[in-house]
Amino acid sequence: MAHDVHTHVKSQTEYEYKRRRSANEMRGQLTTFAIMIFLTLIAFTAVYAGFSPNLVVPIILLLAVIQVILQLYYFMHMSHKGHETASMFLYSGVIVGLITVLTFVTIVWW
Amino acid sequence: MDLNTKYTPQSWPDHPENSTLEGKNKFVGFWLFLGGETVTFASLFATYLALKNKGPSGMEFTTQGLFELPLVFIMTMLLLTSSLTSVYAMYHMKNYNFKAMQAWLMVTVLLGAAFLGFEIYEFSHYVHLGFTFNQSAFSSAFFILVGTHGAHVLVGLGWIILLMVRNAKRGLNLYNAPKFYLASLYWHFIDVVWVFIFTVVYLMGVMG
Amino acid sequence: MMKGIKKWRLFSLLTALMVFLSGCGEEHLSTLTPAGQVGRDQLDLMVLSTAIMVLVIIVVMIVYVLAIVKFRRSKVGENVIPKQVEGSHKLELIWTIVPIILLLILTVPTVVSTYKLADVSGMDTVDAKGNKTAVTVNVKANLYWWEFEYPDLGIVTAQELVVPTQEKVYFNLKAADVKHSFWIPAAGGKLDTNVDNLNKFYLTFDNPSESLQDGVFYGKCAELCGPSHALMDFKVKSLDRDDFDAWVADMKASKEETPEGDVAQQGQEIFNTSCIACHAVSGAGSTGGVGPNLATFGDRNRVAGFMEHTPENIKAWISNPEKHKPGNLMPEPKEINNGKDFTDQELTALTEYLMGLSVEE
Amino acid sequence: MSSIAQKKGFGATLWDYLTTVDHKKIAILYLITGGFFFIVGGIEAMLIRIQLAQPDNDFVSAGMFNQIITMHGTTMIFLAAMPLLLGFMNAVMPLQIGARDVAFPFLNSLGFWLFFFGGVFLNLSWFMGGAPDAGWTSYASLSLASPGHGIDFYALGLFISGFGTLIGGINFLVTIINMRAPGMTYMRMPLFTWTTFVASALILFAFPPLTVGIVFMIVDRMFGGNFFDHTMGGNTIIWEHLFWIFGHPEVYILILPAFGIFSEIFPTFARKRLFGYSAMVFATVLIGFLGFMVWAHHMFTVGMGPTANAIFAVATMAIAVPTGVKIFNWLLTMWGGSIVFTTPMLYAVGFIPSFVAGGVTGVMQAAAPLDYQLHDSYFIVAHFHYVIVGGVVLGLLAGLHFYWPLMFNTMLNEKLGKITFWLFFIGFHLTFFIQHFLGLLGMPRRVFTYVADQGWDSYNMISSIGAIFMAAGVIVLVVNIIMTIVKNEKVGRDPWGDGRTLEWALPQPVPFYNFKQTPLVRGLDTFWIEKQEGNKEGMTYAEPVGDIHMPNNSFVPVVISFGLFVASFGALYNGEKSWAVPVIILGLGITFASMIHRSLKDDHGYHVHKEDLLDDKGGKH
Ligand code: HEA
Ligand code: HEA
Ligand SMILES: [Cu+2]
C-alpha cells in the first residue's frame, strides 16, 4: 500500500483561494453556532413558559434533532463528501437505537 | 509516510486528517465507533425512560422536584461553546497553524472542565439531598446515563490534553493530524449526546 | 408423474409423522394430545406449520439429491470445466415469491390466534348479581412450589390446581421471588410469571381428568429458577362444573377439622408447634403463605410436587427436604423442632396427620 | 507455525506470538484458544448428556448442573464459536481482498487479548467458588438472586471479552472499506469477505446493548444499583430486552460467516462460480438488517401483549426468505457443476439439510401461539443446536479443513477428516433430532433431572448416545491435527487445485507482508480468471515492487488486557474484601498507563526494503 503521501505544493493563488474558502466556511460555522444557541434558547423558554407538555415535548424533541443535525453536518463535516460510509453506519446506529427506545417506552411496563 | 517532511501552509494537504492510509483508517474506524456509541447511548436513554421516576414505594424524588434548569442552561452553553472552539481549532489545523490550534484546544479544554465541574457540583448536590446512586431505580438510571456522558467528557478532556502535551514539541504532521481531528469529532459527539440529555432528561423532566 | 410421486411422498411422510407422534405422547403431559381449545388451537398451528415445513424440506431435498447424484465429478468427468453460470433472475424470483406465499399462509392463523389467545376480557364479566361469571385463579410461583388462589371464591390451595371443565379458566400470574413460567403442556402453552407485573391468560379443559393415568394433568415450571427448577412440578385436576362447585364448598368448609385417631392427633400437635408458622391447613382464605397450603394434602397426587404420594416419601421429605429439592426454603427439622431431628415416631404421627388433611370425601 | 518461527526456539516463538500484530498469527491464536474452549464446552455438553441419559440420575448435583449448562452455552457461543470465526476472518479476509494486513494491527492484537483474558477470567469461576448458574441468558431476577460470585464472573468476563469482539468488528469493517486492492469493488468481493463485513456490522451494533446490560448487571450486583430490583423500582424485563437485542443479532453473527465459508467451498469443489452472486450479497445484507427487528421472538411468553407478539412473529418469519434464497443459490451452484467430495465439501453438503431442518423449526417457533408451547422446552434446544451445530459448527469444521493449508501449508488427512465428518454428522442428528419430540412431549429445558415414566426416558438415552458419536468425531479430529503437525508435509500454493479467490494465489507459506506487490483485481474469482488465462503467477499486479511498510510488534495489548483482568478481581470482591478497591485502581492503573505509554510514543513501524523483497528472503523476521 502506498504509504508515502505525494506532497503537493500549492501555488500562491491556489493557496489564497483555499484560505479564503475555509475562512468563508468558518463564518458559516459561526452562523451554525448562532442557530444552535437560538434553538437551545427556544427550547428552554418553551419549557419555562409552561405550555402543555403535549405541545412542548414534540417541539423540543424536534429542536434537539435539528440541532444535532447541524452538529453532525457542519461541525462534524458530514456534509462534505467522503462521509458516505460514515453516515451509513451512523444512521444504522440511529435506526437500531430508535427501535430500542421505541420498545422501551412501549412494551416495558411499570 | 516520511515524518521528517516539513510542511508549510502551502504544502499542507487540504484534508490532513485522511491523506494517509492510517489517517483514512482512523477516520472511518472512528465514525463506525460513533455508530456503536449511538446504540450505547440509545440503550441508556431507553432504560432511563423506562425507569424514570420509578423507585421504592413512597419515593419522594421526581424529575420535577429534582432538576433545576438554570444550572443545566449554563452547562449547555458551556458545552455548545466548547464545540465551536474545537471547530476553530480544526480550522487552524487545516491552515497548518499549530499555535492557534493549540490555543483553541486549550479554550475547549477549559470550557469542558468547567462543564464537568458543574456536573460534579450537581451530582454532589443530589447526593446531599439523599438522591444517591443506590437510592432507587430512577437514581441509578439517571446517574448511569448522565454519568456515562460525564465520563465521556472526562475521557475527551484527557485525550485532548494528552495530544496537546505530546505534540507540543513535535508540531503538526500527518501522523498526528488525524488524531487531533478524531479528538474533535469525539468532542462534537459528546455535545450531540448532551443535546438529547438536556432535552430528554432535564427539559422533559421538569415538565413531568 | 413427477407430481404424483411428490404428492405420494408428502402424504406418506405426513402419515409416518402422525403415527410416530400419536404413538408416543402421554395424554396428561403431551402437547400433542390437547386437553382443551387452547391446546387444540396451538396444535392446529403446529400441524399447519409442520406441513409447510415438510413441504419446504421435500423440495429442497429433491433438488439437493439430484444435484449431488447427477453432478459428481466421477460422473461428469475429471477434467471438465463446467459452464460458469452467473445466475437466473427467473429462479431468484420463484424462490423469493413461493416462500413468501407459504409464510403468508402461516402468518394469518398466527396473528389471529395471537389475539384470540390474549383475550382475557371475559375475566371481568359479571352476572346480574355482580358476581364474576368465570373462574379466575391467581397463580403465585414461589421457589419450587405453586400457590393457587381463587379470589372470587375465597379459597386457596397449593401444588394441585383444580379447575372446572368446559369453560374458560382465567389466570393471573405472578412470581414471588424470581421469575418462573407456568406451563400445563396438555392444556396449552405457557406464560411467564414475572416478578414485576401481572400476566393474564386463559386455558380450557374439555373433560374431567379422572380418566387420565394419574387422574391429573402435569404442570411444569418452564423458566430456569434455581437448582430445583426441574422439580417444580404441579398437578392439575379438572372436574366438571358440579364436582368443582362441590369441591369449592368443601374447601370453604375445611376450617377446623379434628383429626381422627390418636396418632394423627399427636401429629397435629407436632404440626402446630413446628409447621404451622409456614403452612396453613385450611383451604378458606387468601394468598400469603410462606409455604404451601396443606388443606388438600391428603388428596394429592404427589409429595412436594414430584415424589410419589407414599408415607415413606412424606417422611423422607420432612426429615430432609434439602436432599430432595436442593435450594428449597423449607427448614430442616432441627431448625423447627428445638434443634432435634424428628424421631421415627414423630414422623409417623405427622404423616398420619397430613394424610388425613383432605377436602374430598 | 512458520518454519522460521520454529527455528527460533520456544521462548522466542512464545514472545513472538505474545507481541505479534500480524493478522495471520493472530488468526492462529484465535484458532488455538477457540479450539481449546470448544473442547471445554464440548466436555461440558458431554456432562449434560451423561446426567440426562437416564431419569433420576445423580451424576452431578442440581446446582452443579446449572453451572454446567450456563458455562456450556456461554463458552460455546462467546469463547468458542465466535473467536473461531474471528480467527478465520483474520486468516482469510485480508488475503481475499489483497490487503497487507488489517486496518489496525495493534487493535487486532488488543482485541484478541481482551477476549483471551475475558475468557480465562470467566472460566476461573470454576476454581473460585462456583461458575455462573443462571443460564447463558442470565435473566435478571435469577441472576440477582444467585448467591456466590458466579454471575459476577459472567458479567465481568463477558464485559472484557465483549470489548475485544467489538474492536475486532470495527477493525474488519475498516479493513474492508479502506484496504481492498485496486479493482476489488464491493460487488467483486468474495462472499466470505461480504459475510465478514455484515457480521462485523452486526457486532458493532449488537454488542453495545449487551455491554450496557452487563454494566447494569455489574452495578446491581457489585455496586448497589437498582436497575433490575423491582422492589426499588427496577425492571427485570429491561435485561431481557437488552440481552436479546444483542442475542438475536448474535446468532447471525455466528451463522453469516459460516455461510460465507460455505459460499467459498461450494464453488471451489463444484468448479463453478457461485450461482446468483448479487442475490447472495443482497440476502446477506438483508438478513443482517432484519436481524435487528426480531429479538422479541425470544420473549413471546413474557407478556408483551398480542400486538407486540404479532409484529415480532411476522418480522421473524420474514428472515426465512433471504435465507431460503441462499440455500437455493447454493443448490444451484452445485447444479451443473463437477462436484468432488473432499472433506470440506462433505461438511458443506451435510450442512444444507441440517440447517434447513433447523431453520424451519425456527419459523415454527416464530408463530407466537405455537411458541407458547415450544418456548423453554427441548424443542428450542433442538432448534438451536440444529442451526448452530448443523450450521455454525459444520461451517467451522469445514473451514478448518479448507483453510488449514492456507494457514499452515500442510493438509489435514482426508481419510481421518471424512471419518470425523461421518461420526460427527450421524451423532449430531442422533442427539438433536429426537429432542424435538422431547419438547413436544412436555420436557422443559434446563432441567437437571426428570422423573421416570413421563415418556422421555428412551429418547434421552438415544440423545446421549448421539453425543458420544460427536465426541468420538472430535477426538479423531484432534488426532488428525496432531498427526498433521508431526508429519509436517508441505503442500504449497493452491493445494485444492480449484482455488478461485485471491488468497489461494499467494505463495506458500504466505510471506509476513502477504503481497509483495499489490494485486490488481480483474473480476469476481480473480485467481480463477488468472488461471483460466494461463497466468502462472496467479496475479496481475497493480504496482511495481517497492518498499513495504510494516507495523512493529507490541507487548502493550497484553498489558492493557491484563490490567482489566486484574481490575475485575477487585470489582468482583467489592464491598467484601478490603483489598478490592485498591485492586480495581491498580488494574485500571496498569491499563491506562499502558495506553498512555502507547500514545505518547511515536510508533511508525518499519520498512521492508525493495532489495530484500527481490532477493526473496523477505526482510527481517
Ligand atoms: C446460528 C444460530 C441461529 C440461527 C441461524 C437461527 C435462525 C432462526 N431462528 Fe433461532 N435461535 C438460536 C439460534 C439461531 N437461530 C438460539 C441459540 C436460540 C435460543 C436461545 C436461548 O433461548 O437460549 C434460538 C431461539 C429462537 C426462537 C425463540 C424460541 C423460544 O425460546 O421460544 C425463535 C422464535 O422465533 C427462533 C427463530 C429463528 C428463525 C425464524 C430463524 C431463521 O433465521 C431461520 C431461517 C432459515 C430457514 C427458514 C431455512 C431455509 C429457508 C428455506 C429453505 C426457504 C423456505 C422456507 C420457508 C418458507 C419456511 N429462534
Ligand atoms: C455454539 C454453540 C453450541 C454448541 C456447539 C453446542 C454443542 C452441544 N450442545 Fe449445547 N447449548 C448451547 C450452545 C451450543 N451447544 C447453548 C447456548 C445452550 C443453552 C444454555 C442455557 O440453557 O443457558 C446449550 C444447551 C445444551 C443442552 C440443554 C441443556 C439444558 O437445557 O438443560 C444440551 C443437552 O443436550 C446441549 C448439548 C450439546 C451437545 C451434545 C453438543 C455437542 O455438539 C458438543 C460436541 C463437542 C464435543 C462432544 C467435544 C468433545 C470433546 C471431548 C470429548 C474431549 C476430547 C478431548 C481431548 C481430545 C483433549 N446443549
Ligand atoms: Cu432469535
Side-chain angles (χ1 to χ4, degrees):
Chain A
M1 216 112 320
H3 283 262
D4 38 356
V5 187
H6 302 283
T7 37
H8 162 78
V9 182
K10 300 184 180 67
S11 68
Q12 191 59 25
T13 33
E14 226 179 334
Y15 171 67
E16 275 166 12
Y17 171 70
K18 180 197 155 194
R19 285 300 282 255
R20 225 170 319 120
R21 215 185 42 196
S22 51
N24 271 338
E25 196 186 320
M26 198 56 226
R27 262 194 297 285
Q29 299 284 35
L30 260 177
T31 326
T32 311
F33 176 72
I35 298 175
M36 291 189 332
I37 296 287
F38 182 62
L39 294 179
T40 311
L41 278 171
I42 300 182
F44 274 85
T45 33
V47 172
Y48 258 114
F51 298 119
S52 136
N54 292 339
L55 183 71
V56 178
V57 169
I59 291 182
I60 59 177
L61 281 177
L62 184 71
L63 294 180
V65 171
I66 297 174
Q67 197 177 139
V68 162
I69 288 175
L70 290 177
Q71 278 273 359
L72 287 172
Y73 278 84
Y74 296 101
F75 282 12
M76 294 166 87
H77 309 292
M78 237 168 70
S79 55
H80 289 197
K81 70 176 197 311
H83 285 71
E84 295 78 15
T85 351
S87 54
M88 191 182 86
F89 277 88
L90 192 77
Y91 283 121
S92 308
V94 169
I95 291 173
V96 175
L98 277 181
I99 297 174
T100 308
V101 173
L102 190 68
T103 39
F104 273 54
V105 295
T106 51
I107 53 177
V108 170
W109 47 84
W110 291 288
Chain B
M1 157 192 38
D2 195 355
L3 263 183
N4 301 323
T5 319
K6 281 283 166 255
Y7 289 93
T8 62
Q10 272 88 350
S11 67
W12 186 241
D14 283 358
H15 288 286
E17 72 275 9
N18 57 13
S19 57
T20 62
L21 179 65
E22 285 82 359
K24 279 196 193 74
N25 286 346
K26 289 201 169 108
F27 175 80
V28 171
F30 198 77
W31 271 103
L32 299 186
F33 169 74
L34 291 183
E37 286 269 85
T38 309
V39 182
T40 307
F41 276 104
S43 309
L44 292 172
F45 272 107
T47 307
Y48 172 80
L49 287 172
L51 295 180
K52 180 175 166 181
N53 289 339
K54 303 287 188 316
S57 48
M59 179 178 79
E60 79 261 40
F61 294 109
T62 60
T63 49
Q64 269 164 310
L66 214 52
F67 298 149
E68 281 161 26
L69 286 190
L71 186 69
V72 178
F73 184 74
I74 297 173
M75 285 163 74
T76 306
M77 287 303 145
L78 286 172
L79 210 58
L80 275 181
T81 315
S82 80
S83 210
L84 179 73
T85 56
S86 83
V87 174
Y88 268 109
M90 286 309 106
Y91 168 71
H92 291 296
M93 193 266 274
K94 290 199 175 176
N95 286 345
Y96 200 65
N97 185 344
F98 183 67
K99 287 240 167 58
M101 177 189 82
Q102 292 278 74
W104 280 110
L105 284 180
M106 195 66 219
V107 179
T108 308
V109 165
L110 289 177
L111 289 167
F115 172 88
L116 207 58
F118 277 113
E119 184 150 275
I120 292 169
Y121 163 78
E122 184 199 1
F123 280 11
S124 69
H125 174 65
Y126 294 152
V127 170
H128 272 295
L129 293 178
F131 188 68
T132 60
F133 180 72
N134 305 340
Q135 185 268 334
S136 62
F138 169 40
S139 73
S140 298
F142 169 80
F143 282 112
I144 284 269
L145 170 60
V146 183
T148 304
H149 175 263
H152 276 69
V153 176
L154 187 66
V155 170
L157 289 178
W159 187 6
I160 297 177
I161 293 171
L162 199 67
L163 281 179
M164 287 167 63
V165 172
R166 89 180 277 286
N167 294 314
K169 290 225 185 65
R170 291 181 175 89
L172 264 180
N173 57 34
L174 288 185
Y175 179 74
N176 57 32
K179 298 183 182 216
F180 281 112
Y181 188 82
L182 299 194
S184 92
L185 276 187
Y186 187 72
W187 196 254
H188 293 305
F189 184 77
I190 290 172
D191 208 17
V192 165
V193 174
W194 180 255
V195 169
F196 283 110
I197 289 189
F198 85 68
T199 308
V200 172
V201 176
Y202 293 102
L203 290 183
M204 279 165 62
V206 294
M207 282 188 297
Chain C
M1 176 59 198
M2 192 63 196
K3 232 182 178 174
I5 291 182
K6 261 194 222 165
K7 266 202 188 132
W8 175 82
R9 281 209 206 178
L10 179 65
F11 182 72
S12 60
L13 239 154
L14 273 179
T15 24
L17 199 69
M18 277 350 245
V19 171
F20 187 43
L21 294 185
S22 55
C24 31
E26 303 276 351
E27 222 188 320
H28 53 277
L29 179 60
S30 169
T31 64
L32 303 172
T33 52
Q37 191 54 42
V38 174
R40 230 172 358 256
D41 283 352
Q42 289 164 348
L43 184 65
D44 288 349
L45 210 48
M46 162 97 214
V47 172
L48 172 69
S49 59
T50 310
I52 296 176
M53 299 315 152
V54 169
L55 181 76
V56 167
I57 291 178
I58 288 173
V59 173
V60 170
M61 285 316 283
I62 290 173
V63 183
Y64 172 81
V65 171
L66 286 180
I68 59 179
V69 170
K70 278 174 71 176
F71 300 103
R72 33 182 65 220
R73 192 160 297 170
S74 49
K75 277 208 169 160
V76 186
E78 199 51 45
N79 290 321
V80 177
I81 300 291
K83 194 158 161 258
Q84 304 289 309
V85 193
E86 195 182 322
S88 153
H89 283 299
K90 201 155 71 198
L91 285 175
E92 298 292 349
L93 221 58
I94 292 178
W95 60 56
T96 310
I97 290 175
V98 174
I100 290 182
I101 294 172
L102 291 178
L103 290 174
L104 285 177
I105 296 176
L106 183 57
T107 308
V108 175
T110 296
V111 174
V112 170
S113 49
T114 304
Y115 279 95
K116 181 178 164 200
L117 297 179
D119 178 15
V120 288
S121 53
M123 204 167 188
D124 300 318
T125 25
V126 286
D127 60 16
K129 279 177 267 161
N131 291 327
K132 294 264 173 71
T133 49
V135 174
T136 298
V137 185
N138 290 346
V139 177
K140 194 154 109 197
N142 299 270
L143 276 173
Y144 321 132
W145 64 278
W146 298 85
E147 184 184 75
F148 306 109
E149 183 200 11
Y150 300 71
D152 308 317
L153 306 174
I155 57 177
V156 61
T157 181
Q159 300 295 45
E160 292 205 9
L161 172 68
V162 180
V163 291
T165 56
Q166 309 280 2
E167 59 184 86
K168 287 185 178 175
V169 183
Y170 293 91
F171 295 92
N172 286 316
L173 306 164
K174 191 148 182 14
D177 28 51
V178 301
K179 179 175 173 125
H180 307 269
S181 188
F182 178 79
W183 188 27
I184 308 168
K190 61 190 75 61
L191 192 59
D192 291 355
T193 62
N194 295 315
V195 292
D196 31 21
N197 77 315
L198 206 63
N199 272 341
K200 301 175 184 196
F201 80 146
Y202 71 89
L203 292 172
T204 53
F205 299 80
D206 290 344
N207 300 307
S209 55
E210 242 164 16
S211 60
L212 298 173
Q213 185 185 306
D214 297 327
V216 288
F217 294 103
Y218 281 21
K220 304 269 170 194
C221 172
E223 182 67 56
L224 179 63
C225 54
S228 287
H229 158 62
L231 306 176
M232 194 171 154
D233 287 3
F234 61 98
K235 302 288 175 285
V236 187
K237 203 177 279 177
S238 56
L239 303 172
D240 56 37
R241 189 69 208 206
D242 294 340
D243 290 345
F244 180 76
D245 288 339
W247 177 78
V248 171
D250 289 343
M251 280 295 278
K252 283 184 178 160
S254 72
K255 280 196 177 116
E256 282 294 325
E257 283 183 79
T258 25
E260 291 159 31
D262 287 350
V263 188
Q265 243 154 26
Q266 193 205 345
Q268 184 180 30
E269 279 161 31
I270 304 172
F271 189 91
N272 284 347
T273 52
S274 300
C275 319
I276 199 89
C278 303
H279 295 285
V281 290
S282 156
S286 59
T287 175
V290 180
N293 183 304
L294 298 179
T296 63
F297 191 85
D299 308 331
R300 282 199 199 153
N301 187 279
R302 286 290 194 278
V303 178
F306 71 102
M307 290 154 52
E308 252 182 277
H309 204 259
T310 60
E312 292 73 53
N313 277 342
I314 300 178
K315 289 182 200 170
W317 167 255
I318 296 175
S319 45
N320 194 351
E322 178 63 23
K323 174 165 169 245
H324 297 93
K325 254 193 189 177
N328 88 88
L329 301 178
M330 175 148 152
E332 298 297 308
K334 283 205 172 80
E335 297 167 41
I336 48 176
N337 191 33
N338 310 319
K340 294 195 299 281
D341 278 329
F342 290 120
T343 63
D344 258 357
Q345 202 270 333
E346 286 170 319
L347 286 173
T348 314
L350 271 172
T351 307
E352 185 76 13
Y353 168 68
L354 288 170
M355 284 298 223
L357 292 174
S358 163
V359 296
E360 288 169 25
E361 272 22 87
Chain D
M1 285 175 203
S2 70
S3 50
I4 310 170
Q6 271 164 14
K7 278 179 218 133
K8 282 198 294 195
F10 180 73
T13 312
L14 184 69
W15 181 248
D16 188 31
Y17 273 87
L18 283 174
T19 58
T20 188
V21 294
D22 177 352
H23 71 98
K24 297 182 288 302
K25 289 186 177 158
I26 291 176
I28 293 171
L29 290 174
Y30 270 118
L31 203 63
I32 295 171
T33 321
F36 170 76
F37 282 127
F38 180 73
I39 299 282
V40 173
I43 291 173
E44 283 154 1
M46 294 307 289
L47 297 178
I48 298 175
R49 284 317 326 166
I50 293 174
Q51 166 71 9
L52 293 178
Q54 0 171 324
D56 299 314
N57 203 355
D58 60 356
F59 175 70
V60 295
S61 71
M64 186 50 126
F65 183 86
N66 288 354
Q67 297 178 25
I68 293 173
I69 59 156
T70 304
M71 286 301 283
H72 163 69
T74 314
T75 304
M76 279 297 196
I77 299 234
F78 291 98
L79 309 181
M82 214 166 28
L84 286 169
L85 290 167
L86 288 178
F88 287 127
M89 293 175 186
N90 261 312
V92 179
M93 183 274 287
L95 305 182
Q96 277 195 331
I97 60 171
R100 289 250 159 75
D101 203 325
V102 291
F104 308 108
F106 176 86
L107 289 185
N108 200 15
S109 152
L110 179 61
F112 170 77
W113 289 107
L114 285 170
F115 145 67
F116 178 87
F117 279 106
V120 170
F121 184 78
L122 187 52
N123 275 279
L124 279 180
S125 61
W126 285 117
F127 313 103
M128 297 181 63
D133 59 357
W136 84 288
T137 51
S138 206
Y139 274 13
S141 59
L142 181 61
S143 54
L144 289 195
S146 169
H149 285 300
I151 305 293
D152 306 342
F153 277 105
Y154 170 96
L156 292 162
L158 290 190
F159 186 70
I160 299 176
S161 70
F163 267 110
T165 310
L166 188 62
I167 289 175
I170 293 184
N171 208 341
F172 290 138
L173 284 170
V174 178
T175 309
I176 295 173
I177 292 169
N178 276 353
M179 296 176 67
R180 282 165 290 131
M184 175 69 77
T185 58
Y186 278 111
M187 289 315 272
R188 281 182 185 170
M189 285 187 336
L191 247 252
F192 182 66
T193 299
W194 257 113
T195 52
T196 300
F197 185 77
V198 176
S200 302
L202 294 184
I203 289 178
L204 175 63
F205 298 124
F207 270 73
L210 177 70
T211 309
V212 168
I214 284 181
V215 168
F216 293 167
M217 177 88 58
I218 290 174
V219 296
D220 267 20
R221 280 189 60 102
M222 290 162 247
F223 299 92
N226 302 307
F227 289 96
F228 308 128
D229 181 354
H230 68 285
T231 59
M232 299 297 275
N235 191 315
T236 56
I237 311 301
I238 289 177
W239 166 267
E240 294 184 25
H241 277 298
L242 287 175
F243 185 87
W244 288 120
I245 290 173
F246 149 79
H248 188 82
E250 166 70 17
V251 307
Y252 294 121
I253 294 171
L254 295 177
I255 199 67
L256 286 179
F259 283 175
I261 291 173
F262 289 127
S263 302
E264 303 295 322
I265 289 176
F266 281 117
T268 306
F269 297 110
R271 270 199 197 149
K272 192 162 154 278
R273 115 184 216 154
L274 189 67
F275 193 84
Y277 171 85
S278 31
M280 286 295 245
V281 170
F282 182 68
T284 308
V285 176
L286 193 61
I287 292 175
F289 181 74
L290 288 176
F292 276 100
M293 317 280 157
V294 302
W295 76 87
H297 64 219
H298 296 271
M299 299 169 64
F300 283 146
T301 65
V302 165
M304 300 178 300
T307 308
N309 279 3
I311 292 174
F312 281 105
V314 176
T316 303
M317 289 181 194
I319 297 191
V321 177
T323 317
V325 168
K326 302 198 85 147
I327 298 279
F328 289 111
N329 275 310
W330 285 318
L331 289 177
L332 267 280
T333 303
M334 291 198 287
W335 196 276
S338 159
I339 304 171
V340 54
F341 289 96
T342 57
T343 310
M345 189 61 171
L346 265 186
Y347 280 107
V349 168
F351 149 81
I352 290 205
S354 312
F355 182 81
V356 169
V360 295
T361 54
V363 177
M364 292 169 69
Q365 289 161 195
L370 179 52
D371 186 63
Y372 300 162
Q373 282 287 21
L374 305 177
H375 176 69
D376 268 345
S377 77
Y378 258 80
F379 194 93
I380 306 298
V381 178
H383 156 69
F384 70 73
H385 285 92
Y386 257 84
V387 278
I388 289 188
V389 181
V392 183
V393 175
L394 291 188
L396 287 169
L397 293 174
L400 189 76
H401 289 85
F402 188 52
Y403 289 122
W404 191 272
L406 182 71
M407 294 176 74
F408 301 112
N409 195 17
T410 60
M411 186 84 110
L412 288 171
N413 183 305
E414 280 284 291
K415 196 178 267 160
L416 288 180
K418 287 178 183 164
I419 295 176
T420 305
F421 168 77
W422 284 111
L423 283 173
F424 197 86
F425 189 72
I426 294 171
F428 154 64
H429 284 282
L430 210 53
T431 308
F432 296 114
F433 187 68
I434 202 95
Q435 290 184 354
H436 292 107
F437 299 101
L438 276 175
L440 296 178
L441 299 185
M443 180 162 167
R445 61 190 280 207
R446 295 168 167 170
V447 290
F448 80 95
T449 190
Y450 49 95
V451 179
D453 293 327
Q454 301 187 82
W456 306 338
D457 307 0
S458 50
Y459 287 18
N460 270 305
M461 186 46 117
I462 295 173
S463 182
S464 297
I465 291 171
I468 295 173
F469 277 80
M470 276 193 275
V474 174
I475 289 173
V476 175
L477 176 68
V478 174
V479 171
N480 192 352
I481 290 174
I482 295 173
M483 275 173 51
T484 308
I485 292 175
V486 172
K487 271 204 206 135
N488 199 17
E489 279 169 28
K490 304 294 178 206
V491 289
R493 188 174 83 165
D494 194 14
W496 298 108
D498 285 317
R500 306 178 69 86
T501 37
L502 204 48
E503 74 271 29
W504 302 111
L506 281 159
Q508 276 289 356
V510 180
F512 64 90
Y513 46 79
N514 295 356
F515 295 90
K516 192 153 65 173
Q517 292 155 276
T518 305
L520 177 70
V521 177
R522 294 162 53 222
L524 186 67
D525 293 339
T526 347
F527 183 40
W528 176 265
I529 296 176
E530 302 287 349
K531 273 197 290 192
Q532 292 301 304
E533 294 182 358
N535 178 349
K536 281 247 168 53
E537 283 197 65
M539 274 189 253
T540 311
Y541 301 111
E543 59 171 23
V545 182
D547 288 1
I548 296 175
H549 176 248
M550 296 298 294
N552 284 328
N553 281 4
S554 171
F555 189 57
V556 178
V558 179
V559 183
I560 295 180
S561 315
F562 179 73
L564 290 179
F565 179 72
V566 171
S568 300
F569 284 102
L572 191 78
Y573 290 108
N574 184 42
E576 199 174 296
K577 300 259 162 53
S578 55
W579 46 260
V581 174
V583 167
I584 297 183
I585 294 171
L586 173 74
L588 293 181
I590 295 176
T591 297
F592 283 117
S594 45
M595 280 162 77
I596 289 173
H597 166 80
R598 163 80 186 172
S599 67
L600 284 181
K601 222 177 74 188
D602 278 335
D603 185 355
H604 300 296
Y606 63 94
H607 283 85
V608 185
H609 293 290
K610 193 170 158 183
E611 305 75 55
D612 298 328
L613 285 173
L614 287 176
D615 73 5
D616 255 7
K617 290 248 175 54
K620 74 176 193 185
H621 261 247

